[in-house]
Amino acid sequence: MSGALLTIDSPGLELLIPAGLLLAAVLPFLRQATRLQIVGLVVLPLALTAGLGFVKYTMDSRNDASRAALLASTPTQTRLRPVTAPNNAYTSSQTCRACHPSEYKSWHNSYHSTMTQLANSEAILAKWHGTRLPLGQEALQLEQKRDEFWVNTLGTDGIKTDSQRVTMTTGSHHLQVYWTADANGNLQHPFPFGWLIGDQKWVPVQDTFLRDPHLTAPDAKWNNVCIKCHAVAGRPGIDARTRTVNTETAELGISCEACHGPAKAHIAHYQNPVNRYTSHLGDKAVNAILNPGSETLDHRLSAQACGQCHSYQSQSQAQKIDWNKNGPRFLPGQNLKPRVAVVHASNFIADKNPGTPAELKAFVATHKHLPLGRGDLLDRFWPDGMVRVTGREYNGLLDTPCFQRGKMSCLSCHSMHGYHDKNDQLAPRMETNNACLQCHDDLRENLTAHTHHAANSAGSHCYNCHMPHTTYGLLNSIRSHQIDSPSVETQLKTGRPNACNLCHLDRTLEWTSQRLAKWYGHRQPPLDNDDKTISSTLKLLLKGDAGQRAIAAWHMGWKPARNAGGGDWQAPWLLRAMDDPYAAVRYIAHKALMADLEFADTPFDYTASSDKRTGQVVNALGQWRERQEHGQAVRPELLLDATGQPLDNAADKLARQRDNRPMTLQE
Amino acid sequence: MSNQKLTRRERSEQAAQQARTAPVPPASNNSATPEERRHFKFGWWSLFVFVCLGITLEMMLAFRVGWYMDVDNDTRRLMLRLGHAHGTLLSLVNIAFATTLTRVTLSATNRLWASRFLTAATLLIPGGFILGGLQIHNADPGLGIILLPAGAVLLLFGLYNTARHTSR
């Protein structure tokens, strides 16, 4: 039917038809009117109309040309057919809204919808026009021309040497990064600076990840990295032979069909009002689209719709070639495992670490990826197989008993359309113990007997003990999505801090061991002297690996932990962490320091040169020393002397034992 | 057969049949001015056209036609709905104007001008919305929308001209 409706495509016709209508309307006036009347009532409206028309035509033409140029240099958004369901096709979220306005609205309001956007004034959150960013010997001058955002490269002499238009943005929650197009195809190159939304600050993109500082800045292209999860059904279309790129997606951003699957068949059926009302009256099975939130859907399939992106995956060379050409093979509602190699680390943790090439080959053939101690996996999983970077929540869910033996899925707690807070998209009341009490209702009346903490305290909040913040991502610590229980033995084996000491920051590991033995009958493992005498979290901050240091620093600013473990002793240790070689640790330590009201306004640029940073830290340390003049109680477990000054010798001794292995925890 | 005498009942039925099919002359048909006749005719026909447009829009809504319903076509949907609403209302205004002319004495010049203003406005205002909706530029209507201010000015003149004389 829409084909029968003509649009006035030609710019000439667009002007001629209104002119003809106007002439027909005013013609009768010309016959009997006096000259003055003609001038007043006909010529003036005509002149006004012509003037407005000219201005509008000029503006529309300019805007149309600008948008056409942007679309030409970004991945093509088209009605792709999935390779595994060629009779169906993607249609885009704008079509879904016609029948599902409420769901469209809740999705449109979520951060999923704005994960990838075309660069325009609505999408770009950064302070753009007039910003000048240093880049080696050169500088980048940012410029906004109406709805276009440009990056001008200035040489050492300040003369413009290059100018590129920003084409796309990624992210709109914590961080926003930007892309510029390649001259050859629609390949998207990363802009080297990102915008920290909360801080309203430009920083180098490499300093927004927890990365080995000796590594060079990554040069990841949107088309073969981000596209996988930041667009619907992306096909990279990179031709290495001709060095051209023709990337296609069904839609930019994470939209309806990413979770519900391609909708063409569903829409074709339900465009007919008779079919719609037949469905409303009961027959819902015909051409129904997948609903991951449906109570009739197996909880594993429901979780896999989220897990297609929220998991750590491995891809063989053959799979990469296939994906590059055909796009993803998984569709929501299908079994994920045969189509995507999710790294289920705990499954192979007990396997013999392959030593010979033959053993390695056999391992890869079985598990579809490298063993845990190799490559990226070494950093991104704790030694027992628990994932330690955020955005991979499905990996955590896989090893959660509630998922394995119960019916828990992502949507047991989260809701994509009925969330009460867009930050975590938790369903109403799921930020409380109700999340767990849905199934563990027997604990509702016996909560304090189970937790040994006051009922309304942070210690009786299920999440804090069973989902502590032990994963890292986005310059934050994030709750682990593998539900487990605090264990000193596990910490000793894996290095993953236990939930008790992440709240009781001032306590030793021995203290925790004794409590867990008394309350829950845990075995008390042998501990070294440091574990008996020094705060477990402080020890982690001083001698842990970069990921552990980030987690320890973050908890020193966490309000429940400052309430439980005191909030008046962390400053010297956080100031020390602000000199960490890893930018992410420095950033987190500074944020934690600002939780102390006396240091809330401490200036610190975590991306500045070492000299400048040291100056800022020394100033703040002086502030701390002044505060301690009145004396404090002796706190040997916190490595503070009788005057409240840090015991630097003891701290240096621990710091010398620091795990300095290069780490990359990139979400 | 034709000479056959009709019964009383047949004559009665024949008379009733003639009464049903014969046109009923309007009470003041002879006294209707050309403006009154033109506005009745123009009003009812334009009402017919804009009701047809309304039905078309409803059909596009029922069948979820993307050209009308998609998010990117919000502006088109708004323009076409405004065109339908304004067109329907102005059609009724034309009929009301024709009725007004039968009851209010206006000078020939005023009748002529008011008539032309209203007619032009009825073409330009909904026409501007509809043409502005046929071709859109992202969130902006097409060039046809420029007819709107001209139509609005003419409508104001027409209404003022009529209102001024009805209050005398």
Side-chain angles (χ1 to χ4, degrees), chain A residues 2 5 7-8 14 18 25 28-29 32-33 37 41 49 56-57 60 64 67 94 97-99 104 271 276, chain B residues 60 62-65 67 70-72 74 77 112-113 116-117 120 134-135 137-138 141-144 146-147 157:
Chain A
S2 59
L5 296 164
T7 52
I8 309 168
E14 194 189 345
F29 293 98
Q32 296 174 1
Q37 284 169 331
L41 301 174
T49 304
K56 184 165 167 47
Y57 182 76
D60 287 346
D64 289 350
R67 186 172 166 80
Q94 58 167 306
R97 193 187 75 160
C99 291
Y104 177 88
Q271 267 187 315
R276 285 207 300 280
Chain B
M60 288 197 281
F63 288 95
R64 301 291 191 255
V65 176
W67 183 84
D70 285 356
V71 177
D72 278 359
D74 267 353
R77 193 162 65 250
L112 184 71
W113 280 107
R116 287 177 180 171
F117 285 141
L134 290 180
Q135 172 70 19
H137 303 273
N138 299 321
L143 279 175
I146 57 177
L147 296 178
F157 279 123

Side-chain angles (χ1 to χ4, degrees), chain A residues 1-2 5-11 14-15 17-19 21-26 28-34 37-38 40-42 45-46 48-50 52-54 56-57 59-61 63-64 67 79 93-99 104 270-273 276, chain B residues 55-57 59-74 76-77 109 112-121 123-128 130-138 140-151 153-154 157:
Chain A
M1 185 163 181
S2 59
L5 296 164
L6 297 174
T7 52
I8 309 168
D9 285 331
S10 153
E14 194 189 345
L15 199 56
I17 294 177
L21 187 59
L22 184 66
L23 201 61
V26 300
F29 293 98
L30 302 176
R31 290 185 192 154
Q32 296 174 1
T34 65
Q37 284 169 331
I38 290 174
L41 301 174
V42 179
L46 274 173
L48 178 69
T49 304
L52 284 174
F54 176 75
K56 184 165 167 47
Y57 182 76
M59 284 172 59
D60 287 346
S61 302
N63 292 341
D64 289 350
R67 186 172 166 80
R79 302 199 163 196
S93 57
Q94 58 167 306
T95 313
C96 305
R97 193 187 75 160
C99 291
Y104 177 88
Y270 287 104
Q271 267 187 315
N272 186 334
R276 285 207 300 280
Chain B
I55 291 168
T56 308
L57 300 186
M59 294 286 280
M60 288 197 281
L61 181 71
F63 288 95
R64 301 291 191 255
V65 176
W67 183 84
Y68 181 65
M69 293 296 293
D70 285 356
V71 177
D72 278 359
N73 297 330
D74 267 353
R76 170 172 295 137
R77 193 162 65 250
T109 311
L112 184 71
W113 280 107
S115 164
R116 287 177 180 171
F117 285 141
L118 276 181
T119 308
L123 287 171
L124 294 180
I125 292 176
I130 292 167
L131 290 175
L134 290 180
Q135 172 70 19
I136 55 173
H137 303 273
N138 299 321
D140 290 321
L143 279 175
I145 199 68
I146 57 177
L147 296 178
L148 193 63
V153 170
L154 294 173
F157 279 123

Side-chain angles (χ1 to χ4, degrees), chain A residues 63 85 117 132 195 205 213 226-227 262 336 362 372 376 383 390 404 410 417 420 423 472 535 551 553 597-598 611:
Chain A
N63 292 341
Q117 299 174 90
R132 193 183 171 110
W195 179 253
V205 170
C226 312
I227 188 176
L336 186 67
L372 195 59
D376 293 346
T390 192
Q404 293 170 330
C410 310
H417 297 295
H420 76 99
N423 278 317
Y472 168 84
S535 145
I551 290 172
L597 289 179
E598 288 203 31
D611 289 347

Side-chain angles (χ1 to χ4, degrees), chain A residues 303-362:
Chain A
Q304 285 166 11
C306 308
Q308 64 173 312
C309 285
H310 288 268
S311 62
Y312 200 83
Q313 301 166 6
S314 176
Q315 225 176 14
S316 68
Q317 195 58 30
Q319 284 173 318
K320 278 181 187 165
I321 292 168
D322 177 61
W323 171 59
N324 181 48
K325 187 181 171 192
N326 299 314
R329 286 191 172 267
F330 171 78
L331 294 178
Q334 296 176 336
N335 193 359
L336 186 67
K337 199 171 181 181
R339 296 168 177 87
V340 177
V342 173
V343 179
H344 192 173
S346 62
N347 258 4
F348 55 85
I349 202 76
D351 286 11
K352 186 188 169 193
N353 206 19
T356 65
E359 285 174 346
L360 182 63
K361 196 175 174 185

Side-chain angles (χ1 to χ4, degrees), chain A residues 558-581:
Chain A
W558 189 42
K559 196 176 172 187
R562 292 178 74 88
N563 290 340
D568 58 348
W569 56 269
Q570 292 92 341
W573 305 120
L574 289 171
L575 285 164
R576 190 183 178 106
M578 282 159 62
D579 200 28
D580 197 278

Side-chain angles (χ1 to χ4, degrees), chain A residues 104-277:
Chain A
Y104 177 88
K105 188 181 173 190
S106 55
W107 163 77
H108 193 258
N109 195 35
S110 74
Y111 293 115
H112 277 126
S113 73
T114 48
M115 185 54 85
T116 307
Q117 299 174 90
L118 293 176
N120 55 39
S121 50
E122 202 179 326
I124 288 187
L125 302 173
K127 180 182 178 296
W128 199 272
H129 192 72
T131 297
R132 193 183 171 110
L133 301 165
L135 187 70
Q137 298 298 310
E138 299 178 317
L140 302 174
Q141 180 80 32
L142 308 188
E143 185 183 11
Q144 182 180 357
K145 301 174 189 169
R146 292 177 296 278
D147 210 26
E148 297 177 5
F149 292 78
W150 290 81
V151 181
N152 301 319
T153 306
L154 306 180
T156 47
D157 50 4
I159 294 173
K160 185 160 74 176
T161 56
D162 188 25
S163 191
Q164 285 184 301
R165 184 178 176 183
V166 172
T167 49
M168 299 200 314
T169 68
T170 295
S172 63
H173 192 183
H174 304 282
L175 168 71
Q176 189 167 61
V177 296
Y178 305 94
W179 305 90
T180 55
D182 195 278
N184 197 10
N186 53 23
L187 188 68
Q188 305 296 305
H189 296 276
F191 178 60
F193 290 86
W195 179 253
L196 289 179
I197 295 166
D199 298 77
Q200 294 284 290
K201 184 182 175 182
W202 282 105
V203 291
V205 170
Q206 59 180 334
D207 288 342
T208 64
F209 297 112
L210 195 149
R211 295 183 81 243
D212 176 9
H214 303 296
L215 290 176
T216 52
D219 188 32
K221 306 289 189 252
W222 186 90
N223 307 59
N224 60 1
V225 179
C226 312
I227 188 176
K228 209 167 184 181
C229 285
H230 292 180
V232 181
R235 292 177 187 175
I238 298 170
D239 190 331
R241 192 173 49 81
T242 59
R243 301 175 72 84
T244 55
V245 179
N246 181 23
T247 300
E248 293 180 307
T249 70
E251 191 170 3
L252 294 176
I254 304 152
S255 66
C256 317
E257 290 166 303
C259 306
H260 296 281
K264 189 188 174 193
H266 171 78
I267 289 169
H269 180 76
Y270 287 104
Q271 267 187 315
N272 186 334
V274 175
N275 292 338
R276 285 207 300 280
Y277 282 89

